[in-house]
């Protein structure tokens, strides 16, 4: 079975662009819900992209959103409910646990 590292960079890039276009189209998918379900959102993707590309977080986020984040937020972001915040917080806690587990298994110290 192929791993992500076995797939051509051009194919990975094409899939990433398709994901971004999908998220740009689906403005009804709120970041807080993405965070609550999967532990990442558009901001995370923008931050990761900025880091990988050597550009600022703002530039990475603008590439992900297809517009400045402040504009997207004003046009599309709805207030989060207490339930959404609770799901997001629980999900983010899982990220921290996974990161700690990864560090423990890969840290040579």
């Amino acid at each position: 079975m192929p791993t992500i590292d076995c797939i051509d960079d051009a194919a990975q890039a094409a899939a990433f662009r398709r994901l971004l276009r999908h998220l740009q189209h689906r403005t009804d998918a709120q970041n807080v819900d993405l965070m609550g379900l999967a532990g990442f959102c558009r901001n995370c993707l923008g931050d990761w992209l900025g880091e990988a590309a050597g550009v600022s977080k703002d530039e990475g986020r603008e590439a992900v959103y297809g517009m400045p984040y402040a504009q997207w937020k004003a046009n599309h972001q709805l207030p989060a409910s207490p339930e959404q915040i609770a799901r997001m917080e629980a999900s983010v806690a899982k990220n921290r646990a996974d990161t700690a587990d990864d560090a423990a298994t890969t840290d040579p110290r």
Side-chain angles (χ1 to χ4, degrees):
M1 174 191 297
T3 66
I4 192 69
D5 295 323
C6 297
I7 296 174
D8 177 64
D9 285 349
Q12 292 180 48
F16 183 71
R17 285 190 297 272
R18 186 173 181 180
L19 171 64
L20 295 186
R21 288 185 185 110
H22 181 77
L23 289 172
Q24 288 170 0
H25 172 72
R26 288 296 308 271
T27 58
D28 61 311
Q30 295 291 297
N31 282 335
V32 69
D33 292 324
L34 294 171
M35 287 294 293
L37 180 63
F40 77 96
C41 68
R42 292 171 182 89
N43 287 341
C44 299
L45 289 171
D47 294 352
W48 299 335
L49 178 60
E51 183 180 315
V55 300
S56 72
K57 285 184 177 186
D58 287 340
E59 291 170 305
R61 288 180 181 191
E62 187 166 340
V64 167
Y65 284 99
M67 65 184 71
Y69 172 62
Q71 180 183 349
W72 189 92
K73 185 176 177 178
N75 292 342
H76 304 291
Q77 187 167 309
L78 302 174
S81 70
E83 294 81 12
Q84 287 172 308
I85 297 293
R87 279 192 301 272
M88 180 187 74
E89 289 173 348
S91 183
V92 168
K94 289 180 184 179
N95 289 356
R96 285 191 294 272
D98 287 346
T99 302
D101 290 344
D102 287 346
T105 60
T106 59
D107 189 345
R109 289 180 270 159

